[in-house]
Amino acid sequence: MRLYNSSVNKLIGRDFLDYYKIGQRIRKYRKACGMSQEQLAEQIGISVTHMSHIETGNTKLSLPVFVDIARVLEVQTDDLLYDFLLDRKASWNELTQVLENCTSQQMRIIVDVAKATKIALEKHMES
């Protein structure tokens, strides 16, 4: 059961979607792609004003628009929703460094542990 607490603007038991932060992530990826707001808005079929409002968090965006933005920017939707995924490349580099110093047996164990952890996380996220 989800409860909404308007005084703190969040769903109890679930993370609140911070549209300002989502908009800032969209802006970051848009700029990384060398695109203007106008170019992105045109490619997803919305007005420049609406695109500006999305990036500043002044409006909520629909799921189809959100998915289109991710598609055009060539990012996962999670990359736009969550901060911790923005440094995925840094995490990947760190993991690579750990694995470079492992024996073959250690690598197989780490892979097995990672697979089991992913399965457990997916089960946890479903409930």
Side-chain angles (χ1 to χ4, degrees):
M1 176 177 173
R2 289 192 271 169
L3 301 173
Y4 186 75
N5 182 338
S6 61
S7 65
V8 292
N9 242 2
K10 73 186 298 178
L11 290 171
I12 299 170
R14 301 258 185 196
D15 291 333
F16 172 70
L17 290 177
D18 186 331
Y19 288 94
Y20 174 77
K21 288 182 181 178
I22 292 169
Q24 292 304 295
R25 290 184 206 109
I26 290 169
R27 175 177 284 151
K28 176 182 177 180
Y29 283 108
R30 174 182 57 76
K31 287 184 175 187
C33 290
M35 295 178 75
S36 68
Q37 280 186 345
E38 293 81 9
Q39 291 168 322
L40 180 56
E42 181 179 326
Q43 287 193 37
I44 61 174
I46 63 172
S47 71
V48 176
T49 301
H50 189 52
M51 186 72 246
S52 175
H53 287 175
I54 289 170
E55 288 190 358
T56 57
N58 290 326
T59 189
K60 294 180 181 180
L61 64 165
S62 69
L63 185 57
V65 169
F66 180 69
V67 170
D68 284 346
I69 289 171
R71 179 185 48 78
V72 170
L73 297 177
E74 298 180 355
V75 297
Q76 300 282 326
T77 53
D78 282 355
D79 293 330
L80 300 176
L81 289 173
Y82 304 110
D83 281 328
F84 69 90
L85 291 174
L86 291 175
D87 62 353
R88 180 184 287 172
K89 186 170 184 156
S91 296
W92 183 258
N93 290 339
E94 186 177 359
L95 183 59
T96 301
Q97 287 177 351
V98 169
L99 294 175
E100 284 177 351
N101 297 319
C102 290
T103 65
S104 295
Q105 182 181 12
Q106 289 171 329
M107 280 213 260
R108 282 192 302 274
I109 293 169
I110 290 171
V111 168
D112 288 345
V113 169
K115 286 178 181 178
T117 302
K118 185 172 185 307
I119 290 167
L121 285 169
E122 288 171 349
K123 286 181 182 177
H124 177 72
M125 297 300 273
E126 289 174 0
S127 55

